Amino acid sequence: MSQASSHAICISDFPTNHTGGLMLPMLGTPCLKTAELFFVCCAATSTRERSKRKEAATAMAKAVGAQEQEFLNALSMGVGGGIDPLVLADQVAKLKAWSMSDRKKLINGDWQLHASDAGDLLVQFGSGLHGLPFMDVKEMYMSLRPKKKLICTVEILQLGPARNATTILKGTFRERTEDAILEYEGIVDEKGNRPALMNNNQGTRQMSVQTLYVGLRILIFRVAPTDSRKGGFVIFRRE
């Protein structure tokens, strides 16, 4: 047997002391050189594997991002523009299916309303001022912090042709097995004052929402109907 093959696996050749501890050979011996090479190779392999995993994750995120952008382009009806349930279902079926743990992480963040069903839903999901004379929801933003069970919705209302007003709705977001309960506990304007048109005796308002999809850039809720409101669909895009 050649010298190279006799030292192919040297770790097992290291002597042990009376307690069973490993007695490493002196620097420069063939066994120690082989051991050093073994650990260097392991470190290099680990680095390459991490690099490959990072590249694969980056490629997947890019592909999913492009796929979700196509979805947003296909459903660009705008705020209050109406959403066809069949078209929505067909487009959602094309998106990546995330695990439940991924969905819980992805829902956290800041979102802008991209498209929604018509006016009745905007009354239900927002401050309730939409639909009053010369009042329409122009934009809506939502910040979700599920771990803290917090939600903050900012609604920008267009008052006539040239004036905007902002209302801020704060409350809780409690996830359950099949849905989540969104409850607004207070409504103020950008200065912290309660809008004059709101009923000062009005208590908290809550609704049931089902998360149909959440991804890197998209969040879709189905808002359940109530005795007085029809519910419907809202599509948010990540800010």
Side-chain angles (χ1 to χ4, degrees):
M1 184 179 295
S2 67
Q3 183 179 359
S5 63
S6 65
H7 291 292
I9 302 177
C10 296
I11 300 295
S12 60
D13 296 335
F14 292 168
T16 56
N17 57 27
H18 67 283
T19 63
L22 191 65
M23 297 175 61
L24 295 177
M26 296 179 62
L27 292 173
T29 63
C31 284
L32 189 56
K33 288 181 178 179
T34 304
E36 291 171 347
L37 181 60
F38 171 78
F39 289 119
V40 168
C41 289
C42 286
T45 300
S46 178
T47 300
R48 285 196 299 270
E49 290 176 350
R50 285 197 299 270
S51 178
K52 287 181 179 179
R53 287 196 297 268
K54 185 176 180 180
E55 290 175 1
T58 300
M60 185 196 73
K62 184 176 180 180
V64 171
Q67 190 180 52
E68 292 187 356
Q69 185 58 53
E70 289 180 5
F71 174 95
L72 292 172
N73 293 340
L75 287 98
S76 57
M77 301 81 173
V79 176
I83 298 175
D84 186 324
L86 295 179
V87 173
L88 178 63
D90 180 63
Q91 292 295 324
V92 168
K94 299 176 183 178
L95 298 174
K96 174 180 169 59
W98 299 91
S99 68
M100 181 58 69
S101 60
D102 285 335
R103 293 175 66 181
K104 287 182 177 295
K105 295 175 184 176
L106 289 167
I107 198 172
N108 183 83
D110 302 321
W111 305 88
Q112 179 178 357
L113 186 60
H114 176 77
S116 77
D117 275 324
D120 193 70
L121 174 66
L122 295 173
V123 175
Q124 184 179 356
F125 201 89
S127 64
L129 298 177
H130 174 84
L132 293 179
F134 308 107
M135 284 194 179
D136 294 292
V137 173
K138 182 179 179 182
E139 297 176 45
M140 186 179 288
Y141 301 86
M142 178 177 66
S143 293
L144 281 177
R145 300 296 183 267
K147 285 187 177 181
K148 296 182 178 180
K149 298 182 174 60
L150 296 178
I151 182 173
C152 179
T153 300
V154 177
E155 175 189 68
I156 299 177
L157 292 159
Q158 184 169 348
L159 310 180
R163 184 185 169 198
N164 292 335
T166 300
T167 58
I168 302 169
L169 302 90
K170 295 182 178 181
T172 59
F173 183 80
R174 304 188 305 276
E175 293 181 289
R176 305 191 298 189
T177 303
E178 298 295 334
D179 65 353
I181 298 298
L182 187 163
E183 183 172 14
Y184 292 134
E185 298 171 346
I187 302 174
V188 297
D189 61 20
E190 63 269 34
K191 296 180 181 179
N193 301 315
R194 189 177 181 86
L197 291 173
M198 293 299 297
N199 178 2
N200 289 328
N201 295 321
Q202 182 178 1
T204 62
R205 292 192 300 115
Q206 67 173 227
M207 69 196 81
S208 168
V209 298
Q210 181 184 9
T211 305
L212 299 183
Y213 179 83
V214 60
L216 299 179
R217 301 191 60 199
I218 300 171
L219 171 60
I220 306 171
F221 282 152
R222 177 186 176 275
V223 181
T226 65
D227 293 339
S228 59
R229 299 297 173 190
K230 299 177 182 178
F233 301 99
V234 287
I235 300 173
F236 288 88
R237 63 176 183 266
R238 194 181 296 277
E239 279 288 279

